[in-house]
Amino acid sequence: FLVWLIAHQKLSSGEVLQKRYPNFCLSPHWCIMCKRSEENLNHLFLHCSVAGNLWSKLFSVVGLRWTTLKFLWSFFMEEFQALGGGKKASILWRCGLIATIWVISEERNRRIFNEVEEEVSFLWDKAHYWASLWASSSVGFKDVSLFFILLDWKAVTC
């Protein structure tokens, strides 16, 4: 559902909330994650330094070089050849994309509502875990344990 909201630009970022509630006191020109830029979906999930660090880590783990995309929907339109291709690679790559988006969204909400910030390394560990867990639950990974997926994505997709 989160990915659908993002793909259809319906997620309540500062920019969207300001348009819906123009008299509500918001600061759409301030990203809660990096505290430097306007909070819109492309910034929050792509251009923010916190998101960029997570994407860089994901791309590094799967053997790709991270270059910032201009628009978030590009992730859903592009076919990245990560982890060497194949069914398992495709499953794990998509789980990695969605888990990273999930962790960014979850961290944004934690910072807004709980006023607590996690370190990027901890956020990556969470994204890595969620992606591995979701992949292990798929039919494509029925013969691979979660432990081995967590240990080495490249090895389990060969």
Side-chain angles (χ1 to χ4, degrees), residues 69-101:
L69 301 170
K70 189 168 182 172
F71 299 106
L72 185 59
W73 54 263
S74 299
F75 265 129
F76 306 110
M77 305 303 287
E78 300 245 353
E79 270 301 319
F80 295 97
Q81 291 300 315
L83 299 167
K87 184 177 182 178
K88 285 183 180 177
S90 178
I91 291 168
L92 196 48
W93 170 246
R94 293 191 190 287
C95 287
L97 287 175
I98 294 169
T100 302
I101 289 169

Side-chain angles (χ1 to χ4, degrees), residues 30-41:
W30 186 70
C31 172
I32 191 79
M33 301 287 274
C34 68
K35 298 169 181 65
R36 281 185 266 161
S37 193
E38 177 180 353
E39 187 189 89
N40 59 46
L41 292 180

Side-chain angles (χ1 to χ4, degrees), residues 57-127:
K57 184 65 177 166
L58 173 65
F59 274 61
S60 173
V61 166
V62 300
L64 295 174
R65 183 177 161 92
W66 166 245
T67 54
T68 305
L69 301 170
K70 189 168 182 172
F71 299 106
L72 185 59
W73 54 263
S74 299
F75 265 129
F76 306 110
M77 305 303 287
E78 300 245 353
E79 270 301 319
F80 295 97
Q81 291 300 315
L83 299 167
K87 184 177 182 178
K88 285 183 180 177
S90 178
I91 291 168
L92 196 48
W93 170 246
R94 293 191 190 287
C95 287
L97 287 175
I98 294 169
T100 302
I101 289 169
W102 173 261
V103 166
I104 292 168
S105 177
E106 184 181 57
E107 178 63 12
R108 175 190 175 262
N109 290 339
R110 182 181 301 102
R111 290 180 184 200
I112 290 171
F113 299 112
N114 299 342
E115 299 178 7
V116 176
E117 293 184 16
E118 298 289 352
E119 294 292 321
V120 173
S121 60
F122 182 72
L123 296 176
W124 167 249
D125 289 343
K126 287 172 66 173

Side-chain angles (χ1 to χ4, degrees), residues 19 25 35 38 49 85 111 137:
K19 287 178 184 174
C25 183
K35 298 169 181 65
E38 177 180 353
S49 58
R111 290 180 184 200
S137 301

